[in-house]
Amino acid sequence: MFMKYKSNNNVIYSCKYHVVFCPKYRRPVLVDGVDDRLKELIKETCDQLNVEIIEMEIMPDHVHLLMEVDPQYGIHKAVKRIKCYSSRVLRQEFPWLKSRIPTLWTNSYFVSTVGGAPLSVIKQYIEDQKNV
């Protein structure tokens, strides 16, 4: 088994991250079409940032992403852009979100580099979230 690497002209890298973030107060608001629209917005943002989404699952009260991010851009900037853009658009398109919570996302998130466990195990874990 060989590793696949990416290049940005300066750096050759393989930086994969498991990211989890939640709505404010962990409210289960990612339902009734919000989840589908959120997937579209995350894909759109990641395409603009040249971030590869390996796996994504939207649960009612949290989001799982497995993604590869250019180390010169950084995981923090990528997550910040995803949360900022998706919050703005979702709150415009689904006004009921404004009445449920003061902001869509919490300020915090979980991130872990994927290296200790095989990528297939992490991917399977994210895919199985809805079946738990």
Side-chain angles (χ1 to χ4, degrees), residues 2 15-16 20 36 42 52 58 89 98 107 110 116 123:
F2 66 95
C15 296
K16 295 173 180 69
V20 181
D36 295 328
I42 290 172
E52 180 187 354
I58 311 294
V89 173
K98 293 179 187 175
N107 290 331
F110 165 84
K123 190 173 178 179

Side-chain angles (χ1 to χ4, degrees), residues 57-121:
E57 195 61 68
I58 311 294
M59 303 302 291
D61 64 348
H62 66 282
V63 175
H64 281 273
L65 296 173
L66 179 59
M67 51 197 222
E68 184 161 28
V69 180
D70 182 330
Q72 288 186 316
Y73 187 72
I75 187 65
H76 177 71
K77 286 182 184 176
V79 173
K80 186 175 178 180
R81 286 275 299 270
I82 289 167
K83 288 169 70 173
C84 178
Y85 180 64
S86 63
S87 177
R88 183 168 14 94
V89 173
L90 289 174
R91 288 165 61 84
Q92 286 172 352
E93 293 180 6
F94 299 90
W96 59 268
L97 287 172
K98 293 179 187 175
S99 64
R100 291 284 315 270
I101 45 181
T103 59
L104 182 55
W105 305 116
T106 61
N107 290 331
S108 59
Y109 61 93
F110 165 84
V111 64
S112 174
T113 56
V114 178
L119 195 58
S120 59
V121 172

Side-chain angles (χ1 to χ4, degrees), residues 6-46:
K6 292 192 172 186
S7 174
N8 68 6
N9 297 329
N10 295 333
V11 178
I12 298 171
Y13 63 91
S14 174
C15 296
K16 295 173 180 69
Y17 301 93
H18 178 198
V19 177
V20 181
F21 55 93
C22 308
K24 194 80 166 176
Y25 311 124
R26 194 132 187 200
R27 294 256 167 85
V29 296
L30 305 177
V31 294
D32 300 331
V34 174
D35 50 349
D36 295 328
R37 183 63 174 131
L38 177 57
K39 279 186 179 185
E40 293 171 6
L41 295 172
I42 290 172
K43 286 178 185 173
E44 186 180 314
T45 305
C46 288

